[in-house]
Amino acid sequence: MGKVGTGAILRDGSGRVITVATSIENPVAQPKQVELLALFYSLQFCACMGIVKIQVERATLGKGLNRMLATLSGGALAVGVDQVATLFDGTGQPVVLGILVFIIAATVTFMRFFPALKARYDYGLMIFILTFCLVSVSSYQDDEVLDMACQRLYKIIIGSFIAIMVCICVCPVWIGENLQNQIANNLEKLGNFLEGFGREYFRLSEEGHSTDDDKSFLHGYKSVLTSKGKEETMANLARWEFWHYRFGFRHPWNRYLQVGTLTRQCAYKIEDLNSYTKYFEIQATPTEFRREIHQPCIKICSESGKALKELASAIKKMRRSTSVNFHIANSKIEAEKLKSMLNMTSLWENADFREIIPTAAVGLILIDIVTCNEKIVEAFQELASRARFERMDDSVSPSNDV
């Protein structure tokens, strides 16, 4: 009949399905038309749902090279297997051909289960298996299949070359740069939350209400919690890219993943911190205990937020920061003050523990966040060293660089 069906699934940041849509189209001549229709209707669907910001990511270079090399090696090996099988006349030829196909296909399939190979070469291994099995089995008593395989190889080489030239020279899209920006944006989101949290829930007005009506910072960090899979995929694809812009060969993409992992750990602590916001909103007036510790808490939130945002800016610019150590040192000083206050028995005497414990828990979480930020700075130092980030001007003391 020639009819095709298109479908779309819309998920939130946690992977939960929000809605689905399907459509049946009229006869379509080419598979590329189906892909274009699916993309067009997906954009229409996003517009109807009110989604105004869409990011499309491509991996033409990595998949193109994987497909080209896999087709070349798979087709060449299949031709070799066919030539070996022809040495056995009669019933021996199909038996030998079947044994060789089974051994090679099973070996390559087993290789796909190795994490290191699966992360970077899974697509190429799959194409290798398909090409090898197609050419080796179909070439039995049919010489035209070899010509078909050669034509397919030529088309893939030409198509991959054109796609690579377009993505490099005409309209460059570098997945490595996207990874760098995502890591920096995640750090900036955490910094915005910490600054907003200190401003919103500790620096209260005289009436006991929050001083800031914009609470968008409360939800910005949530996308960081589910960013692991996307970052790992982007890092694996970035390894296939040529030298470009500020990224050379053997760029330490794994160090970006380390910074991303520590950023998610900090985001989990912020998730715990955010769970106490409802309690602060319900509480009409701050308790005496909360008034006593609010100053170091505000300082920790402010200095930690500034440190994370400074790291985000440094990663985007690929420069060593000159003020991160200053903010981290200030946050550590305030964390020690907060520890001393929490250990003071005078604050706990004659107090309602139901009112004190939530505020004390927030203080302890902030102390843990300071420790987590130190680890992020250490990971950034390693990244800056391996990636050879630029140092600031000589007018700034090098001893302050991170």
Side-chain angles (χ1 to χ4, degrees):
M1 295 177 63
K3 292 186 176 181
V4 297
T6 59
I9 301 177
L10 184 62
R11 302 177 184 269
D12 60 8
S14 303
R16 294 187 294 268
V17 177
I18 298 177
T19 184
V20 297
T22 59
S23 175
I24 298 178
E25 300 300 325
N26 293 325
V28 179
Q30 297 293 333
K32 291 184 178 180
Q33 295 180 9
V34 181
E35 296 180 1
L36 291 175
L37 282 174
L39 179 60
F40 175 72
Y41 289 131
S42 298
L43 295 175
Q44 274 191 336
F45 183 60
C46 291
C48 294
M49 295 298 296
I51 302 174
V52 296
K53 183 178 180 181
I54 302 173
Q55 181 178 358
V56 180
E57 296 179 355
R58 296 178 287 177
T60 303
L61 185 59
K63 287 190 175 181
L65 291 176
N66 263 282
R67 190 181 187 91
M68 186 168 57
L69 295 176
T71 302
L72 178 62
S73 57
L77 185 59
V79 173
V81 168
D82 180 70
Q83 294 299 320
V84 172
T86 55
L87 299 177
F88 299 86
D89 298 330
T91 58
Q93 182 178 356
V95 173
V96 173
L97 181 62
I99 293 175
L100 292 176
V101 169
F102 173 79
I103 293 175
I104 295 175
T107 301
V108 177
T109 302
F110 181 75
M111 291 170 60
R112 294 181 63 189
F113 290 97
F114 288 92
L117 295 177
K118 184 176 181 62
R120 300 184 61 179
Y121 308 107
D122 184 66
Y123 181 76
L125 293 175
M126 180 182 64
I127 297 299
F128 174 86
I129 295 173
L130 294 176
T131 304
F132 172 74
C133 293
L134 173 66
V135 176
S136 59
V137 175
S138 300
S139 62
Y140 175 61
Q141 294 183 346
D142 190 358
D143 296 334
E144 294 182 358
V145 175
L146 297 179
D147 296 334
M148 181 187 67
C150 292
Q151 293 178 4
R152 181 171 182 266
L153 177 62
Y154 297 150
K155 291 179 181 179
I156 291 175
I157 293 176
I158 295 173
S160 299
F161 178 78
I162 294 175
I164 291 172
M165 289 298 101
V166 170
C167 291
I168 293 178
C169 302
V170 180
C171 183
V173 178
W174 303 109
I175 196 71
E177 188 174 354
N178 292 343
L179 172 62
Q180 183 190 59
N181 291 333
Q182 173 159 326
I183 296 294
N185 291 335
N186 288 345
L187 288 170
E188 189 172 0
K189 291 175 183 178
L190 300 190
N192 290 334
F193 177 90
L194 289 174
E195 288 186 341
F197 184 85
R199 179 178 64 251
E200 178 76 7
Y201 295 103
F202 284 101
R203 188 174 297 163
L204 301 176
S205 62
E206 295 179 358
E207 290 81 7
H209 299 292
S210 61
T211 58
D212 194 355
D213 294 331
D214 184 13
K215 298 181 181 180
S216 59
F217 65 89
L218 289 176
H219 309 288
Y221 75 94
K222 291 185 179 294
S223 61
V224 183
L225 301 173
T226 57
S227 61
K228 178 180 179 181
K230 186 177 181 181
E231 290 175 2
E232 291 179 348
T233 301
M234 294 170 74
N236 291 328
L237 296 174
R239 295 189 179 99
W240 287 91
E241 294 182 339
F242 296 130
W243 177 90
H244 65 282
Y245 192 34
R246 296 171 294 183
F247 307 107
F249 290 109
R250 302 185 65 83
H251 194 73
W253 300 113
N254 58 325
R255 299 298 171 180
Y256 285 94
L257 294 180
Q258 185 178 359
V259 176
T261 299
L262 294 173
T263 302
R264 279 189 299 276
Q265 293 178 6
C266 185
Y268 292 136
K269 297 182 187 299
I270 287 179
E271 176 78 357
D272 295 336
L273 194 64
N274 192 31
S275 63
Y276 290 95
T277 56
K278 293 297 182 183
Y279 171 80
F280 287 162
E281 290 177 351
I282 295 173
Q283 194 177 40
T285 57
T287 61
E288 184 64 26
F289 181 81
R290 184 172 164 190
R291 293 182 185 277
E292 289 289 337
I293 69 169
H294 86 285
Q295 191 63 35
C297 288
I298 291 176
K299 284 288 187 180
I300 290 175
C301 291
S302 176
E303 296 296 333
S304 298
K306 291 178 181 178
L308 291 177
K309 293 173 72 173
E310 181 67 23
L311 283 179
S313 177
I315 290 177
K316 287 183 178 180
K317 297 178 181 179
M318 297 188 71
R319 292 181 178 178
R320 299 175 185 266
S321 175
T322 58
S323 59
V324 170
N325 280 341
F326 175 76
H327 294 306
I328 291 295
N330 288 342
S331 63
K332 290 172 65 177
I333 292 174
E334 298 300 328
E336 292 297 328
K337 291 181 181 179
L338 183 57
K339 286 181 183 179
S340 301
M341 289 183 176
L342 293 177
N343 291 330
M344 291 174 57
T345 57
S346 58
L347 292 179
W348 297 83
E349 293 178 352
N350 302 322
D352 187 354
F353 286 98
R354 290 177 298 181
E355 297 180 353
I356 289 180
I357 288 178
T359 305
V362 168
L364 293 175
I365 295 174
L366 289 176
I367 294 174
D368 290 339
I369 288 177
V370 172
T371 304
C372 190
N373 287 347
E374 288 186 76
K375 295 179 181 179
I376 295 177
V377 171
E378 292 176 358
F380 172 79
Q381 291 175 345
E382 185 67 22
L383 170 63
S385 176
R386 295 290 183 88
R388 298 179 180 179
F389 282 8
E390 297 178 2
R391 291 187 177 273
M392 302 300 290
D393 297 335
D394 295 336
S395 58
V396 181
S397 176
S399 60
N400 295 328
D401 289 354
V402 174

